[in-house]
Amino acid sequence: MTPAEGPLAWRISIDTGGTFTDCLATDPNGSEHRVKVLSSGCIRGVIVHAQGSALTVRMPRTAPDGFFTGFRLRLTGSHANSETEIIASTADAELHHLNTQVPLPASVGDICELSNGEPAPLLAARVAIGQGSGPLRHVSMRLATTRGTNALLERRGGPAALILTEGFGDLLEIGTQQRPDLFALNIRKDPPVDCRIIEVRGRLDAGGREITPLDVPALRAAAAALRHQGITAVAVALMHSWINAAHEHAAAAVLREAGLTYISLSSDLGLAGLLARAQTAAVNAYLAPVVERFVNDVSQALGPAQDGPAPSTQPPLRLLTSAGGLVSARTFRPKDSLLSGPAGGVVGALNAATASGFDHVLTFDMGGTSTDVARLDGHIEYAYEHRVGHAQVMAPVVAVESVAAGGGSVCWFDEAHNQLRVGPHSAGASPGPASYGAGGPLTITDVNLLLGRVALRRFQVPLDAPSARAAAEQLLQQLHRAGRPMPLPALLEALLAVANEQMAAAMRTISAQRGYNPASYAMVAFGGAGGQHACAVADLLGIRTIIVPRDVGVLSAKGLSLAAMERFAQRQILRPLEAIDLAAVMQEAEQEALQNLRSEGITPDRAAI
């Protein structure tokens, strides 16, 4: 059944990672469809016939006639700048016959990319449904995304400003004064989130009583200047606003009057600690232009989940938070999404472990860009403050440990230390590993391919083994010049050993370093590359049992499909325990959480506290 054939909705869960976007779609008849596309928003294929403007391309999966009409086709490799529009397409199993607007210098065996310019989640949904263009009607989507994480790590957030109490303009620069390297003579600190700093007069005392009124005229002038400069995302972090938010609320009103569209208040966190609140509010504002644009692009392509006289009141798009719970696009905040993909994987792994009869497991999620691990003792463990790149963020998250070792991690020789290394840099989705044929570097994916550990025809993108071998030969030559010659098989095995040890070290961090013996746990292995490395990593840790779920390659998306609407409520009291009416405090927090769920259409009788 296509989306236009009936009122029943497709249910689609999508996790956009650094390299691949994983999709698990359930059609109106209850059948599941699994799709992977590159997170750069394209599908790759191999040209098997080329004659003028007519091309035949082999794709990793089928698509209906006309699906690729209107897409752009681009060649990779030596003809990387050659691009044209597809004006007609027909399908014959995995072969797609394409007519292009203008001929390309294509040859049999060339790798090409097809893209419609939409974000990867929409492309994945279209492939699953078989609808190449038009609004995605009768679709409800759950989405986890690394868009905010990548923007933070790569410092590609939007223009933003941070308003601080007068005299605290260098708060983020000073930070905690902790040195990244205790014994370094030349201390190099990580730079804070890139925000324009504005100081405003106005002060509360530690009890929340006003000492100096907020300087509204000066703030109004500053807001007008920001609007003139094109800055529309602003964070506000004022002294003691956690106990009295009046000044921050007044500042927000002034900013909105000036036309600033995204306001992030530190008082919304409700916790003491100016630095932590300021850092979190700044991250929220810095990521807002990027993440909200992405969410809006996805939302606008989704039609209502149901038509007719009684359209569905359920929002067509919900997003996963770093704590593994769902929120609507309306209440979504960028700071809550930074670990949403790994959180989906943990939810899926817990479900797989429980179904297999195991309570104590270590999760091993090896994707294209990183490997995420967690320890589960029958339930999910949370943390309430975490670090992403150079930024410290106060937000509930599933307790995961990440290491920059994935299928796309770059394999290189560190001449300064005379060592082979894997990561932390990743080839990502574009150009991708060397075997993707787009000029990428040698990666763990290439190593597995050259060792015969990859089934070429079953991989999600076409692979070019000669390009992978050429990249490995370049590394061999570099080692030879450094006086460390070795045969190719020994090099490949050495690189695998480095990657496996890095991933095992991450698993020791969440187990042995916290007093838990990893050998007493089972391992849940998943992710696109998890199955290739699980046994070697388990051997390093003494683990004897490995669980490989059915949805091993898309388990994060499976976790998304199982996630529930969820809200956290917390209170910071800072009073002696005997002076607290704890039952009243808990009741107040409970009612707050229930009210937040009620605003999403969840009635109290359907909620679990």
Side-chain angles (χ1 to χ4, degrees), residues 382-402:
Y382 297 99
Y384 295 89
E385 192 168 347
H386 64 289
R387 191 171 186 84
V388 177
H390 304 321
Q392 194 77 12
V393 180
M394 294 175 68
V397 298
V398 171
V400 297
E401 185 78 18
S402 297

Side-chain angles (χ1 to χ4, degrees), residues 240-562:
H240 306 305
S241 60
W242 75 278
I243 197 169
N244 180 0
H247 278 190
E248 285 199 4
H249 288 162
V254 172
L255 297 172
R256 293 190 182 97
E257 287 175 4
L260 304 179
T261 55
Y262 190 89
I263 313 299
S264 176
L265 302 182
S266 79
S267 55
D268 289 344
L269 298 171
L271 301 174
L274 178 62
L275 174 60
R277 287 190 287 106
Q279 289 173 325
T280 304
V283 166
N284 220 24
Y286 179 70
L287 297 180
V290 174
V291 175
E292 289 207 334
R293 188 184 313 121
F294 171 77
V295 172
N296 288 338
D297 287 345
V298 175
S299 296
Q300 290 173 7
L302 300 178
Q306 177 181 329
D307 285 337
S312 171
T313 58
Q314 299 300 320
L317 177 64
R318 283 176 171 164
L319 297 106
L320 193 72
T321 70
S322 301
L326 294 169
V327 297
S328 66
R330 175 178 56 84
T331 58
F332 177 72
R333 294 185 294 181
K335 74 174 181 67
D336 294 325
S337 71
L338 298 177
L339 294 178
S340 60
V346 171
V347 174
L350 179 61
N351 177 74
T354 302
S356 302
F358 291 88
D359 292 328
H360 305 288
V361 296
L362 300 177
T363 69
F364 176 66
D365 177 7
M366 184 178 178
T369 301
S370 65
T371 294
D372 305 307
V373 299
R375 190 189 75 255
L376 303 178
D377 291 305
H379 62 275
I380 294 176
E381 181 182 350
Y382 297 99
Y384 295 89
E385 192 168 347
H386 64 289
R387 191 171 186 84
V388 177
H390 304 321
Q392 194 77 12
V393 180
M394 294 175 68
V397 298
V398 171
V400 297
E401 185 78 18
S402 297
V403 61
S409 293
V410 177
C411 302
W412 56 291
F413 179 61
D414 184 352
E415 295 183 355
H417 297 89
N418 197 32
Q419 290 180 333
L420 283 172
R421 294 193 181 274
V422 175
H425 306 295
S426 173
S430 180
S435 54
Y436 284 17
L442 182 71
T443 68
I444 290 297
T445 294
D446 303 309
V447 171
N448 281 315
L449 173 63
L450 294 174
L451 286 172
R453 294 154 54 98
V454 173
L456 285 170
R457 288 297 300 272
R458 299 187 66 183
F459 204 76
Q460 295 297 321
V461 297
L463 296 180
D464 179 8
S467 293
R469 180 171 291 274
E473 293 289 348
Q474 290 180 4
L475 183 55
L476 281 175
Q477 293 172 12
Q478 189 178 4
L479 288 169
H480 183 78
R481 291 192 298 269
R484 295 186 57 183
M486 66 175 64
L488 178 60
L491 171 64
L492 299 177
E493 293 290 351
L495 291 169
L496 276 190
V498 171
N500 291 335
E501 182 53 48
Q502 289 180 192
M503 292 182 286
M507 299 197 79
R508 292 189 190 100
T509 299
I510 62 166
S511 56
Q513 291 185 19
R514 299 178 186 176
Y516 299 90
N517 181 9
S520 65
Y521 285 75
M523 174 193 288
V524 181
F526 59 103
Q532 290 177 318
H533 294 258
C535 289
V537 174
D539 283 343
L540 291 171
L541 299 167
I543 294 174
R544 308 310 303 164
T545 302
I546 299 174
I547 303 164
V548 181
R550 177 171 180 263
D551 293 297
V552 58
V554 293
L555 195 67
S556 292
K558 180 67 174 180
L560 257 170
S561 72
L562 299 170

Side-chain angles (χ1 to χ4, degrees), residues 12-17 21-23 35 37-42 118-128 136 139 141-147 294 298 301-302 317:
I12 300 180
S13 300
I14 297 179
D15 172 32
T16 298
T21 290
D22 303 335
C23 172
V35 172
V37 301
L38 289 167
S39 293
S40 56
C42 70
E118 289 182 323
L122 292 177
L123 177 60
R126 292 190 184 282
V127 172
L136 291 168
V139 169
M141 181 183 290
R142 296 178 169 198
L143 179 62
T145 175
T146 60
R147 184 59 61 98
F294 171 77
V298 175
L302 300 178
L317 177 64

Side-chain angles (χ1 to χ4, degrees), residues 32-380:
E32 291 185 337
H33 308 262
R34 294 162 180 81
V35 172
K36 273 182 178 282
V37 301
L38 289 167
S39 293
S40 56
C42 70
I43 302 172
R44 288 193 174 183
V46 178
I47 295 175
V48 298
H49 177 76
Q51 184 174 4
S53 297
L55 301 175
T56 300
V57 179
R58 178 182 290 114
M59 299 288 185
R61 59 181 296 118
T62 60
D65 289 346
F67 181 88
F68 291 109
T69 301
F71 277 56
R72 302 289 297 179
L73 185 147
R74 184 178 73 89
L75 299 180
T76 65
S78 58
H79 299 294
N81 293 325
S82 300
E83 184 176 335
T84 186
E85 183 178 348
I86 300 170
I87 58 177
S89 71
T90 57
D92 179 14
E94 292 182 346
L95 297 180
H96 294 265
H97 308 283
L98 311 176
N99 292 328
T100 61
Q101 195 171 53
V102 296
L104 295 178
S107 302
V108 173
D110 285 351
I111 295 176
C112 62
E113 294 181 342
L114 286 77
S115 171
N116 62 356
E118 289 182 323
L122 292 177
L123 177 60
R126 292 190 184 282
V127 172
I129 293 173
Q131 178 187 337
S133 61
L136 291 168
R137 306 180 68 81
H138 307 292
V139 169
S140 62
M141 181 183 290
R142 296 178 169 198
L143 179 62
T145 175
T146 60
R147 184 59 61 98
T149 313
N150 294 339
L152 190 59
L153 294 176
E154 299 168 11
R155 296 193 168 273
R156 292 187 293 103
L162 172 61
I163 295 176
L164 293 164
T165 300
E166 186 178 51
F168 289 83
D170 51 3
L171 178 68
L172 297 190
E173 188 69 34
I174 294 173
T176 63
Q177 299 192 64
Q178 289 179 308
R179 292 178 289 178
D181 186 345
L182 185 60
F183 299 105
L185 298 178
N186 181 19
I187 300 172
R188 296 184 179 181
K189 295 175 57 180
D190 295 332
V193 173
D194 186 16
C195 290
R196 177 171 177 184
I197 302 298
I198 296 174
E199 298 182 35
V200 62
R201 182 182 297 274
R203 188 68 177 265
L204 305 175
D205 67 12
R209 294 174 292 273
E210 186 176 82
I211 299 174
T212 305
L214 185 70
D215 191 345
V216 172
L219 184 58
R220 186 173 288 116
L226 291 175
R227 187 74 178 88
H228 180 73
Q229 295 163 10
I231 297 176
T232 58
V234 183
V236 183
L238 304 179
M239 283 285 290
H240 306 305
S241 60
W242 75 278
I243 197 169
N244 180 0
H247 278 190
E248 285 199 4
H249 288 162
V254 172
L255 297 172
R256 293 190 182 97
E257 287 175 4
L260 304 179
T261 55
Y262 190 89
I263 313 299
S264 176
L265 302 182
S266 79
S267 55
D268 289 344
L269 298 171
L271 301 174
L274 178 62
L275 174 60
R277 287 190 287 106
Q279 289 173 325
T280 304
V283 166
N284 220 24
Y286 179 70
L287 297 180
V290 174
V291 175
E292 289 207 334
R293 188 184 313 121
F294 171 77
V295 172
N296 288 338
D297 287 345
V298 175
S299 296
Q300 290 173 7
L302 300 178
Q306 177 181 329
D307 285 337
S312 171
T313 58
Q314 299 300 320
L317 177 64
R318 283 176 171 164
L319 297 106
L320 193 72
T321 70
S322 301
L326 294 169
V327 297
S328 66
R330 175 178 56 84
T331 58
F332 177 72
R333 294 185 294 181
K335 74 174 181 67
D336 294 325
S337 71
L338 298 177
L339 294 178
S340 60
V346 171
V347 174
L350 179 61
N351 177 74
T354 302
S356 302
F358 291 88
D359 292 328
H360 305 288
V361 296
L362 300 177
T363 69
F364 176 66
D365 177 7
M366 184 178 178
T369 301
S370 65
T371 294
D372 305 307
V373 299
R375 190 189 75 255
L376 303 178
D377 291 305
H379 62 275
I380 294 176

